[in-house]
Amino acid sequence: MKTAEVIQMMEQEKVIAIVRGIAADKCMKVADALYEGGIRLMEITFNQKDPTSFRTTADCIESISKKYEGRMMVGAGTVVTTEQVELAARAGGRFIISPDVNVDVIHRTVELDMVSMPGAMSPTEVMTAHHAGASFVKIFPAANLGVDYVKAISAPISHVKLMAVGGVNENNLAEFLKAGMAGAGIGGNLANKKWIEAGEYHKITETAKTLVEIARNFQ
């Protein structure tokens, strides 16, 4: 799938499931639960505290990408180096999400024909990311900053596609989408670690269905 098609899919689907700190043997079960709930965008994050886990993260991206090829887009999150961009690309990742505006990471992502989504808070950071070639910029931490903040900074830079990330859930997703966000990344409120450890994957599916239904109202 070409980058333009991935961007279009992100704009259409709006909800990116963020999967963080999940054991490798549970990644596919989480992916299956998300897919059953209607999620079509999944971010698997690198654990920067444990470089030995990077290969395992890439393996998860690769296995899910192969199983759901063309049906669910998988990308890497918490990407802070160009080496991690390259690792994700080799695994079949289609987008790169970063916690910061690292111009080298953005450039390498674009060079490898993937969608870049760096994290920012201020308008200056947003525009730096945009000029570097990012397709989307995530506003983090969105819930802490609040919907009013999102509205205020997006007004003069409405040409930049912004994603709300951090504290977004089924109770406030609609507010962020109404405020003009192109979509949202949702982590622990969806891929909940307690549910996963308890094997309660049906709760992930049901929450996913609720979020997808909310997003459909803004398509």
Side-chain angles (χ1 to χ4, degrees):
M1 184 176 284
K2 296 179 180 179
T3 298
E5 294 173 315
V6 178
I7 292 172
Q8 184 178 26
M9 187 174 183
M10 287 181 158
E11 292 179 313
Q12 176 72 17
E13 297 296 329
K14 300 191 181 301
V15 177
I16 302 173
I18 302 171
V19 179
R20 183 185 303 278
I22 304 303
D25 62 333
K26 293 181 172 64
C27 269
M28 188 60 75
K29 292 180 180 179
V30 173
D32 291 341
L34 290 168
Y35 188 83
E36 187 178 347
I39 296 294
R40 298 296 179 262
L41 300 163
M42 181 178 178
E43 168 196 342
I44 302 176
T45 68
F46 284 110
N47 179 1
Q48 298 300 332
K49 290 183 178 180
D50 182 16
T52 63
S53 69
F54 293 172
R55 181 67 257 174
T56 301
T57 299
D59 289 343
C60 287
I61 292 172
E62 184 172 14
S63 60
I64 295 168
S65 295
K66 287 181 176 178
K67 178 174 181 178
Y68 287 103
E69 184 176 4
R71 294 178 291 151
M72 181 160 69
M73 292 298 104
V74 185
T78 318
V79 177
V80 299
T81 67
T82 56
E83 290 78 14
Q84 290 164 8
V85 173
E86 292 162 1
L87 185 59
R90 289 194 295 271
R94 294 304 303 133
F95 56 89
I96 296 294
I97 301 180
S98 303
D100 62 341
V101 180
N102 183 320
V103 173
D104 290 337
V105 167
I106 296 170
H107 286 170
R108 190 60 180 140
T109 300
V110 174
E111 288 172 354
L112 293 174
D113 196 29
M114 293 187 290
V115 172
S116 171
M117 188 189 303
M121 187 174 74
S122 70
T124 299
E125 291 175 324
V126 170
M127 292 309 299
T128 298
H130 176 69
H131 290 310
S135 298
F136 298 86
V137 180
K138 75 173 187 181
I139 301 301
F140 179 86
N144 296 83
L145 295 168
V147 174
D148 288 342
Y149 179 83
V150 165
K151 288 179 180 178
I153 69 164
S154 62
I157 51 174
S158 58
H159 61 296
V160 181
K161 300 181 181 70
L162 302 177
M163 290 273 188
V165 180
V168 182
N169 55 41
E170 62 269 33
N171 296 317
N172 60 17
L173 173 60
E175 293 180 52
F176 284 107
L177 296 179
K178 285 179 184 176
M181 297 293 95
I186 303 176
N189 292 314
L190 177 55
N192 185 296
K193 289 184 181 180
K194 290 183 179 179
W195 298 345
I196 294 168
E197 291 303 317
E200 297 175 328
Y201 295 99
H202 65 282
K203 291 185 178 180
I204 294 176
T205 297
E206 290 307 310
T207 302
K209 287 179 179 178
T210 299
L211 293 165
V212 168
E213 186 61 32
I214 293 169
R216 280 183 183 147
N217 293 325
F218 295 88
Q219 291 176 348

